Amino acid sequence: MKILVIEDNESVCEMIEMFFLKEGIDGKFVHDGLKGYNEFKTGEWDLLIVDWMLPGMDGVSLCRKIRLENSEIPIIMLTAKDSESDQVLGLEMGADDYVTKPFSPLALMARIKAVARRYQRNSGEQAAKNIIQTKHLKIDKDSREVFMEGSLILNLTPKEFDLLAYFAQHPRQVFTREQLLERVWGYQFYGDERTVDVHVKRLRKKLGTATQPFVHTVWGVGYKFDESVE
C-alpha cells in the first residue's frame, strides 16, 4: 500500500513512519500543502493522510481541491481542532474520516486498515454488475453512481455513497450510530458519533425533499432508510 502523508510536524511523521515500517506500508512524507498537492498529482496513491494546518496550502483547501479531481481516493484528515464545526467542515470538504490530535498510532492504523479493506472490497466487486434498485433510487455499485427517478445525483462523496448503499440494502432496518460506524466505516467505535450524523445530514440535503427525506431518525436509537414514510 502506498500512502501520501502531508503533515508539517516532523515528530508526527516520524511516529507514523515507524508504524508504517512495521505494517509494510510504503509511505511518502511531505511537509507543505502545495508540495503535497504536486506529489498527489504526479504519484499513484492508495490513501492520503492530510493535516489540517499546513504551510503553502491548508489541509481543508487541499482536501477540497483533491476531491474535485478524484472522488475515489480515500482521505483521512489529522486535526488538532476538536470542535464539532471544524470536524464537520473537514468532512464536508471531502475527507472520509478524521483523527484528532493527539492520537494513538494504533488507532490511526486501524482507520487506515479499515479504509483500505473497504476500498479493496469495492474494487473486488467490479467483476460483476451490482445494482441496488429501490422505489425512487437506482444505485450502481460498479460505477458508484446514484440515480433518482432517472436523474444522476451529483457530488456524493465516497463515504456518502457507501452509507446510502448500505441503507438501501437494508430498507426499514434501524441502525445505531455505533453499528453504522462499524459496518460502513469499517472500524470499532472510538468515541465520536457525529461522523455519522454529519453524513446523514448531507445525504438528506442531496437526496431528500420536504416530503421524502429517505433517511429517517429513530429517536433514541439511530437511523433507518424508508421510502414508504413521508
Side-chain angles (χ1 to χ4, degrees), residues 135-136 210-214 216 226-230:
K135 181 179 179 182
H136 298 286
T211 58
Q212 179 55 272
F214 291 101
H216 302 265
D226 193 346
E227 293 175 292
S228 66
V229 177
E230 297 188 359

Side-chain angles (χ1 to χ4, degrees), residues 159-172:
K159 188 60 65 187
E160 290 166 357
F161 179 91
D162 291 340
L163 182 60
L164 177 61
Y166 188 79
F167 272 132
Q169 287 177 304
H170 303 86
R172 296 181 295 282

Side-chain angles (χ1 to χ4, degrees), residues 2-6 20 25-30 39 45 49:
K2 292 184 64 178
I3 297 179
L4 175 61
V5 180
I6 309 172
F20 277 10
I25 294 173
D26 182 7
K28 171 75 174 182
F29 295 84
V30 182
E39 286 287 345
W45 309 103
I49 297 176

